Amino acid sequence: MQGICLLGATGSIGQSTLDIIKQHPEKFQLVCASAHSSVDKMADICRRFRPARVVMGSEKARDELAAKCHGLPISFEWGSDALDSIAADPQVDQVMAAIMGFAGLKPTLAGIRAKKRILLANKESLVTAGKLFMDEVAQHDVMLLPIDSEHNAIFQSLPQSALGATKKDVKKILLTASGGPFRSWTLDDMRHVSPEQACKHPNWSMGQKISIDSASLMNKGLELIEACWLFGVTPADIDVVVHPESIIHSMVSYLDGSVIAQMGNPDMRIPIAYGMTWPDRIETSVPSLDLVGIGQLNFESPDLERFPNLKLASDAWYCGGTAMAALNAANEVAVAAFLQRKIGFLDIATINGEVLNQLESHPVASLEVVFEADENARRVAKNIIEARVWI
Ligand code: NAD
Ligand code: MG
C-alpha cells in the first residue's frame, strides 16, 4: 500500500490522480491532500477519501472546510509550512506535485528532502529552480517520475534510468506539441482572442493557466527547459515537433536511425498511473488507442514568429541562472492579466520578452536567489502592465 500526498487535489491533475487511487484502493491510499481555495471540491474529497491531513491556502478556507466536514477524523490545516509538512509526512510514500505555478516549488522540495517518490506535474518548480532542484534529487537519492505527458513519454522511450544523464546513443529528443487552439490562425486573428477561446484546448482538458500556456506555446517553452533539466541535455538536443492529434506524446531518436515513441489517447491518467507504479503498469480505464479510427497523424514545425514564447524559453535557458525563474514569473503575471482581460493574448509574449530584457540574470546559488528573482520579475511585469493601455 502506497500512501499518497496529493498537492493540488482539486485541480485537473489532482482529479485524475484521485481517479487512479479510486480504481486501485488495494494499492493506494490518500493520506494527505491540499487545495488553495476550493472548499466544496475539497469537502467532497474529504468525504470520499478520508485523508488524515488536509491543507488549505488560507485560515478562512480551512475553517470553512472544517465546518463542512465536521465529525470527520481529519486534521484541517492551512498555509505554506503545513504544505511542506504534509509533503514530508511519515505516512506518505509518494508526493504528487500538482500545484499550479511557482507556488509548487517549496512543498515539492520538502517532499524531496523527506526522500519521498516525487511525481512531478508542476513543471514550473523544475523550470525555476533547475539545477538546485536536480541536485536535491541526487543528494537525497529520490526517485523523480515525470508526469507531464511529454516527459513521461520521453522517460518511457529512453533506456531505463536515463533521468539526469542521457545515454550516448541518443541523437535527439523529439518533443511533441499539439500547437494549441490557434495553431493555424494568423497573427491578426490571434490579437483579439478571448480567455475562453484560449482555454479551449483541442485535445486535453486542463487547468486554466496551462491551457493558456498551451495556446501561446509557453507551455512548450517551459517543457523544453523541463526536459533539459530532467534528461541532462540542452535545447540544441531537442526538436519541437507540432503534432496536432496529440497521440504521440514525444519521441527519442537514436544514432542508428531508430525512433522510439510513446503513444496513447490524450488522458493524463496514463502518465499519472505510470509514475505511481513504475516500473510496473496498471489498468487506468483509458480506452485503447484506435489507430485505424484515427487514420492519420500529422507533423509540422513550430512557427516562432507567431509563437515567440518558445524562442524566449530557449533564450532563457542559454542565458542561464535566474533568467528561467524570471521568464516563468513574468508569464504567470501576464497570463493572470490576460485572464482578467487587462491585456491581449499576444501581449503575454511581449511582456515576457520585456521582462527578460530588463532583468539581469544571476547564478542560482541558493533557493533564496530563486525566490528573489521570482519576486523581482513579478514586480517588473506588473509595472510594465500598469504603465500602458493594452486593450
Ligand atoms: P489546476 O489549475 O487545475 O489546479 C491547480 C491546483 O493547485 C488546485 O488544486 C489549486 O487549488 C492549487 N493551487 C493553485 N494555486 C495555488 C497556490 N498558490 N498555492 C497552493 N495551491 C495552489 O492546474 P492543473 O492543470 O491540474 O495543473 C497543475 C500542474 O500540473 C501545473 O504545474 C501544470 O503545468 C502541470 N501539468 C498539468 C497538466 C494537465 O493536464 N492539467 C499536464 C501536464 C502538467
Ligand atoms: Mg505537457
Side-chain angles (χ1 to χ4, degrees), residues 174-197:
L174 308 179
L175 181 67
T176 55
S178 70
F182 310 132
R183 180 177 58 87
S184 50
W185 290 38
T186 64
L187 267 177
D188 257 355
D189 289 340
M190 282 159 67
R191 214 174 296 285
H192 306 292
V193 299
S194 66
E196 290 73 22
Q197 285 172 302

Side-chain angles (χ1 to χ4, degrees), residues 8 10-13 36 98-100 103 121-124 148 206-207 268:
T10 53
S12 163
I13 293 285
H36 197 50
I99 284 175
M100 183 275 287
N122 175 255
K123 63 193 82 183
E124 294 91 341
D148 212 344
M206 309 182 284
M268 287 307 292

